[in-house]
Amino acid sequence: MAKKLSRRSFLECALAGGAAAGTANLTIMKDAFAQASGPLVIGHHCDLTGIISSWGVWHDKVAKAAVEIINQGGGIAGRKVELSTEDTESNPASGARKLRNLIQRANAEFVVGSVHSGVMLSALPIATELKTIYFSLGEATEVTGSKGSRYSFRTGTDTYSIAAASMPWGVENLGKNWSIVYADYAFGQSTNQESKTFIEKAGGKVLASIAVPLDTKDFVPYLSQVPAGTDVVLPAFIGALSIAFYTQAKSMGMDRNMRMMSSSASIEAIAPDDIQGAAEGIYFFENFPRMLAGKDDEFHKEFNKQLKIDDVNAREIGGTAVMDKSHAWQAWEDIFALKQAIELSGYKTRKDVEGVIQALEGMEMKNSIGHPQGDKIIRKEDHVGIIDCYISRVKDGKLVAEKKLPKEELLKNMPVRVDLSKLPA
């Protein structure tokens, strides 16, 4: 375990960037900036209201905390960072309009993007048109896949990498026959498609793919469609839909005959104890363990401390809200990744954005305060984060990490399908 960090060494590790984290000898200069070229505006395309607002409010806190720390050390390339935030309203049409506001009115030179898959997909063509790097936080594969561009990046996982990492383990350890029950929009559709591919590749079979409308409250008609021969049910929902699914599936006794496995998205911003045991025994894919014990080091501890969350449920200290831990970290790390790429490339104005893109393509980031999720790379070809992942299970009301899936295995399981690095900028 790393030794305890002082406040000064914490800032030095955070501000050193990915490759040099923990080794730089920096002078900490609160509110002192070396260059007089004006602030560097980073846009935050944040889902503060609407269906995914329980996540968005955390992304807002996380991004603000990252910017505050960076500015305490002199900013990015000597420029003070200003965070300009627009609420997407968790709505693709609104999100598209708000992204134009960020870039054209607020003069955001880079954007940390939405976690809502529909919003991401509506935003990316605009970011590309306006030649602005856009970091997606959601999981629909298309934004760094078939609909990606030189300007689309992510540090975390998408439905392709989640399926590549978790489905081989699931088929081997939980069962061969699967049924997928998913929310009928971009995230759910992408989860269904990618999971089916990797279940079958691992020797399993998908007996049913069941689409559920977003306004559903009664899951009984859809749960009744799950075939009797199913070994494993894979639900793909978020928020209220997740709570309704797990609660009603439990009341129908599905957990007595079938196992369940899902991505962390379906339990994000939800503590297992808060849904009265409805998630007990269910397996979840995580890309940043909710419990500190799943990755017990000083960088994880300090991240929790900075965001004022506990080490078990990622619940705000003194409150009731729970962080979407496996997604919110990206709002922090994307800003530090931009800092590293901007400083490596010598970026000064928008005309230099190609240099930042090239710095991001294949960039390595080391486990540090700036990258508390762990070591990672952004793969050059498809701009996807290649990271360590985890299989966790709800035990006695806690989400316990049981298996680490190393990034090297993920890299082997997910061949490059698109090469965004060869597209025009």
Side-chain angles (χ1 to χ4, degrees):
M1 184 183 298
K3 67 180 181 180
K4 187 171 180 61
L5 295 174
S6 68
R7 177 63 181 169
R8 180 182 177 87
S9 62
F10 155 63
L11 285 168
E12 289 177 348
C13 287
L15 296 166
T23 64
N25 181 18
L26 299 176
T27 301
I28 307 305
M29 308 174 296
K30 182 174 177 60
D31 297 326
F33 303 96
Q35 294 187 14
S37 53
L40 177 70
V41 180
I42 294 178
H44 193 195
H45 200 218
C46 189
D47 313 293
L48 292 172
T49 59
I51 190 172
I52 208 162
S53 60
S54 61
W55 302 20
V57 295
W58 282 104
H59 298 193
D60 187 47
K61 292 178 184 180
V62 167
K64 286 176 178 174
V67 167
E68 181 181 358
I69 287 167
I70 286 171
N71 280 338
Q72 286 181 31
I76 294 178
R79 297 169 65 183
K80 183 176 183 179
V81 179
E82 290 185 358
L83 189 71
S84 180
T85 302
E86 285 275 2
D87 178 13
T88 72
E89 303 172 33
S90 306
N91 179 281
S94 174
R97 185 175 69 255
K98 298 296 185 68
L99 183 63
R100 285 196 181 275
N101 288 346
L102 276 175
I103 299 170
Q104 295 181 317
R105 295 185 181 180
N107 196 34
E109 297 175 61
F110 307 92
V111 176
V112 173
S114 168
V115 72
H116 187 289
S117 292
V119 173
M120 295 187 318
L121 289 167
S122 71
L124 184 57
I126 296 167
T128 302
E129 171 198 338
L130 300 177
K131 298 184 181 299
T132 303
I133 290 170
Y134 185 94
F135 271 88
S136 298
L137 275 66
E139 292 176 355
T141 300
E142 292 83 355
V143 292
T144 46
S146 60
K147 297 182 180 178
S149 77
R150 287 297 301 288
Y151 298 92
S152 56
F153 289 87
R154 68 170 105 228
T155 49
T157 52
D158 58 12
T159 53
Y160 177 34
S161 50
I162 290 170
S166 63
M167 290 302 102
W169 183 92
V171 171
E172 180 180 353
N173 292 277
L174 302 182
K176 300 287 188 184
N177 295 321
W178 291 61
S179 290
I180 304 171
V181 189
Y182 64 93
D184 197 10
Y185 80 112
F187 155 68
Q189 294 158 2
S190 188
T191 296
N192 175 59
Q193 178 182 336
E194 299 289 0
S195 299
K196 186 173 187 295
T197 297
F198 281 92
I199 288 168
E200 292 174 348
K201 187 175 180 179
K205 184 177 181 180
V206 175
L207 303 183
S209 289
I210 303 164
V212 178
L214 288 175
D215 59 354
T216 296
K217 293 182 174 56
D218 181 9
F219 275 84
V220 172
Y222 304 99
L223 290 167
S224 299
Q225 296 176 41
V226 175
T230 298
D231 299 317
V232 190
V233 176
L234 193 168
F237 303 100
I238 63 169
L241 281 173
S242 285
I243 294 172
F245 176 88
Y246 291 124
T247 301
Q248 293 177 41
K250 184 84 168 181
S251 69
M252 290 176 65
M254 290 188 71
D255 58 318
R256 292 196 294 269
N257 303 312
M258 305 171 188
R259 290 173 165 175
M260 287 192 189
M261 179 177 176
S262 186
S263 80
S264 60
S266 72
I267 202 167
E268 289 283 52
I270 301 168
D273 272 353
D274 289 347
I275 53 175
Q276 290 76 50
E280 189 69 22
I282 297 175
Y283 293 86
F284 293 94
F285 168 93
E286 293 192 283
N287 58 33
F288 193 5
R290 185 175 300 190
M291 291 184 67
L292 174 66
K295 180 185 178 289
D296 192 355
D297 63 28
E298 287 298 319
F299 305 127
H300 190 173
K301 286 180 184 176
E302 189 64 42
F303 177 81
N304 287 358
K305 180 180 176 182
Q306 291 295 313
L307 274 301
K308 300 180 175 60
I309 58 174
D310 71 33
D311 294 336
V312 176
N313 288 311
R315 194 189 300 276
E316 62 181 341
I317 304 296
T320 59
V322 174
M323 178 190 278
D324 60 316
K325 184 78 170 286
S326 264
H327 290 79
W329 65 271
Q330 295 172 77
W332 174 285
E333 291 210 21
D334 291 350
I335 295 172
F336 280 96
L338 282 168
K339 172 180 167 61
Q340 183 176 337
I342 288 166
E343 293 178 344
L344 282 171
S345 68
Y347 174 93
K348 293 195 170 38
T349 67
R350 281 184 174 277
K351 66 179 177 59
D352 302 320
V353 70
E354 171 66 19
V356 181
I357 291 171
Q358 290 181 14
L360 287 169
E361 290 177 335
M363 193 170 80
E364 297 183 14
M365 291 149 279
K366 295 297 185 182
N367 188 32
S368 61
I369 298 301
H371 298 287
Q373 188 276 339
D375 290 353
K376 61 183 55 64
I377 65 169
I378 297 176
R379 188 157 64 176
K380 177 180 178 179
E381 292 84 358
D382 53 8
H383 299 182
V384 170
I386 305 296
I387 65 175
D388 293 332
C389 305
Y390 302 81
I391 300 294
S392 299
R393 191 182 188 190
V394 177
K395 293 182 176 179
D396 299 322
K398 299 179 179 65
L399 196 56
V400 180
E402 292 196 340
K403 171 73 175 176
K404 182 177 179 179
L405 306 170
K407 57 186 176 301
E408 293 79 11
E409 289 297 313
L410 173 60
L411 195 59
K412 284 196 304 186
N413 287 346
M414 54 177 297
V416 172
R417 299 191 297 195
V418 299
D419 193 343
L420 305 180
S421 69
K422 292 183 178 178
L423 296 178

